[in-house]
Amino acid sequence: MIDNQILSPVGATAPLIQQSNNAEAPGSGIVLVGNKVTVANAGAPQFAGTHSPSDRTVPQPNLLTFYDTTTVPRGAIPSVLPALPRTAVNMGRKVFEVPVATNKTTYVNETTTATIQGVIKQALASTDPNPIVHFGRATYLIDAPLEIPAGRRIQIVGDGIATRLMAGDKLGNRPLLRLSGPSLATIRELSLFSNGYTVTAVELDNADQAGGRILFDGGMNGVVNLSKLASTKVEFQHSTGIKKINASGAASVLAIGSGVIGPVTVNNSNVMLADTWFETGYNNFTSDPMLRATSGNFTYLGGHIAPPEYTPANTTPPTPAGASIIVDGFAGQLTVMGLSYEMASPALGIEVRNELPSTKALFMGVSANDKGGTTYYRRSYGVGSGTVGFSLMRHNGAQPLPDQASNKGTDKAAVLAAMAQMRAQTWDTVPKVIPAGATDVLFYRVRTIETKIGYNISGQ
């Protein structure tokens, strides 16, 4: 529980938390940080069962981390619930239809790329501030990149994933859709497709400006490359099929409620994954760890990982896979909390190696199935110079394991530092206003998973 405001009923005296044990889950761990409550004795939760909030050197059935939760007057917490936003207003945008030229003999749509680009140019030349280019339900063969210029709002809209922009032979290694930045385009309700996974779906350049944003909502994204984005924020919501995220020099990348995600590489970037999962065999990158981090800030908050047992999966004889989370020579803060593992052996777990003085890592509230055993997390070679800890770790469902290393959950400063990235993520309370001249690109329910690269996005 992090940064909540809890308004108890008038006259309430009960504790904030009532925790009980049962045979299936013998013991649990609770982390409370930065909460505001109105019950005076909320700082002393009651437990049914053995617990030890102050000394976790010996495993105990119930474990507690409780920092900076304060009791405030009832008037300090608003009693009125936030109002839901109103239904969006139909802005009456002008619609430019892309024709469907169906061959009466072959039933193939023969609409040319030049025709499509011509419709886009008509929309760009219109007086509508955010015109719509509409693709009906059909497959459109694309022989040259569809070009969307910088600085002009436009919407490219299909009728769902049955609207397919498919790479033609003449496209070569060029992208299906090229957005020149700073772009103001909205792309929604369509699929960008290539036979044999041979092309890039979307290429976006010059995308880094103060106040800029790139939003993916409800799509199947494939491989996403993000580079040199010092200012523009990138966010994934409810996105599935993210085969890979490569973040290099990306200041703000957030994926929430999204999966399958993985692998993820973090190089001089700030990345947070929340409520996500990674499973064996979903993508073509079974030989890669789910996470490889070298520098920056990374937070994994709540999720599930079922790493592949062998790498690559189709070799004979198969070679056992290594760790699914590799922290190697990492400079920065790395935090993993609330992770559930389904693994075939302890070797597929967490490995921290080649620590630097600037290596700060906290693994907290991680659990593994019975095959993970008690050694699924480890500090490998190069141990000693970093600040690395494992706290509230469990295996076989709920059996607690001892805390390890220097950065334990009992170290308040370490816990607060580990939570800083997640606590900085808050939902906008009013519609976001993008500064003039900044990137504002929105992808709603766009499928790019059948391409070699879903998105190449660069700040340059």
Side-chain angles (χ1 to χ4, degrees):
M1 298 176 64
I2 305 171
D3 295 330
N4 296 282
Q5 298 184 80
I6 302 174
L7 182 63
S8 298
V10 175
T13 59
L16 180 64
I17 294 173
Q18 180 72 42
Q19 182 187 16
S20 300
N21 286 331
N22 58 60
E24 294 182 358
S28 57
I30 298 179
V31 179
L32 301 98
V33 174
N35 301 286
K36 294 182 180 180
V37 300
T38 57
V39 176
N41 66 340
Q46 293 181 358
F47 290 85
T50 305
H51 71 284
S52 177
S54 59
D55 181 8
R56 289 205 296 273
T57 59
V58 178
Q60 302 289 338
N62 289 321
L63 304 173
L64 173 68
T65 300
F66 199 94
Y67 296 134
D68 293 348
T69 290
T70 58
T71 303
V72 299
R74 290 184 56 83
I77 298 178
S79 59
V80 178
L81 296 177
L84 292 173
R86 61 181 175 82
T87 302
V89 175
N90 186 336
M91 303 300 292
R93 301 301 187 195
K94 185 171 178 58
V95 178
F96 295 82
E97 291 286 349
V98 175
V100 177
T102 304
N103 185 299
K104 294 182 179 180
T105 302
T106 63
Y107 300 104
V108 172
N109 177 22
E110 296 181 346
T111 302
T112 66
T113 303
T115 298
I116 298 171
Q117 190 68 58
V119 176
I120 293 174
K121 288 182 178 179
Q122 291 178 34
L124 293 168
S126 72
T127 58
D128 192 295
N130 195 9
I132 296 172
V133 174
H134 177 246
F135 292 78
R137 179 174 174 170
T139 296
Y140 302 81
L141 197 65
I142 307 300
D143 287 327
L146 298 178
E147 305 281 354
I148 308 298
R152 174 71 163 96
R153 290 204 175 272
I154 187 171
Q155 303 177 66
I156 306 297
V157 180
D159 286 341
I161 61 173
T163 298
R164 299 201 310 172
L165 307 186
M166 188 172 75
D169 293 338
K170 296 180 182 179
L171 186 64
N173 60 2
R174 296 174 294 173
L176 283 159
L177 190 61
R178 179 181 287 136
L179 309 181
S180 298
S183 179
L184 302 175
T186 296
I187 317 296
R188 56 187 176 95
E189 322 291 353
L190 51 78
S191 174
L192 301 170
F193 176 87
S194 67
N195 285 319
Y197 299 80
T198 55
V199 303
T200 297
V202 179
E203 185 177 280
L204 169 60
D205 62 8
N206 192 24
D208 191 40
Q209 297 84 31
R213 71 169 169 185
I214 300 170
L215 171 67
F216 299 89
D217 191 334
M220 298 188 73
N221 304 91
V223 177
V224 181
N225 296 325
L226 305 169
S227 65
K228 301 177 181 178
L229 298 171
S231 300
T232 292
K233 295 183 177 180
V234 180
E235 185 170 329
F236 300 84
Q237 295 183 24
H238 319 114
S239 296
T240 62
I242 304 176
K243 286 185 177 180
K244 198 170 189 179
I245 297 178
N246 295 313
S248 178
S252 179
V253 180
L254 170 65
I256 186 167
S258 299
V260 177
I261 292 182
V264 177
T265 60
V266 180
N267 177 27
N268 190 29
S269 296
N270 300 317
V271 179
M272 176 173 168
L273 309 182
D275 187 21
T276 66
W277 68 95
F278 171 73
E279 298 178 4
T280 301
Y282 180 79
N283 53 51
N284 297 323
F285 300 97
T286 53
S287 62
D288 291 350
M290 185 272 169
L291 169 66
R292 184 182 293 275
T294 59
S295 60
N297 293 287
F298 176 82
T299 298
Y300 189 104
L301 178 62
H304 178 78
I305 297 178
E309 186 174 357
Y310 300 105
T311 174
N314 58 352
T315 59
T316 303
T319 302
S324 56
I325 294 180
I326 297 177
V327 183
D328 190 353
F330 181 77
Q333 174 71 56
L334 185 141
T335 305
V336 175
M337 289 188 174
L339 167 62
S340 172
Y341 261 120
E342 182 72 25
M343 61 178 65
S345 74
L348 305 178
I350 301 164
E351 184 170 321
V352 181
R353 60 198 189 201
N354 293 322
E355 296 171 21
L356 304 173
S358 55
T359 300
K360 299 182 184 301
L362 176 62
F363 299 86
M364 195 172 194
V366 180
S367 64
N369 58 317
D370 57 339
K371 292 183 178 180
T374 61
T375 58
Y376 65 89
Y377 55 95
R378 53 199 171 275
R379 298 171 82 181
S380 187
Y381 49 84
V383 176
S385 59
T387 305
V388 179
F390 301 90
S391 183
L392 300 180
M393 307 293 282
R394 294 175 179 271
H395 76 105
N396 196 21
Q399 300 300 323
L401 299 171
D403 286 359
Q404 292 185 15
S406 55
N407 183 359
K408 298 181 180 181
T410 50
D411 182 340
K412 177 179 178 180
V415 171
L416 295 183
M419 288 186 169
Q421 187 176 27
M422 68 182 75
R423 297 178 77 185
Q425 298 291 345
T426 57
W427 296 106
D428 294 330
T429 56
V430 296
K432 190 174 182 65
V433 177
I434 304 301
T439 293
D440 188 18
V441 177
L442 311 175
F443 297 97
Y444 294 108
R445 295 167 293 280
V446 177
R447 182 183 178 104
T448 62
I449 199 169
E450 290 92 5
T451 56
K452 183 178 181 180
I453 305 294
Y455 299 88
N456 269 334
I457 299 175
S458 173
Q460 294 185 349

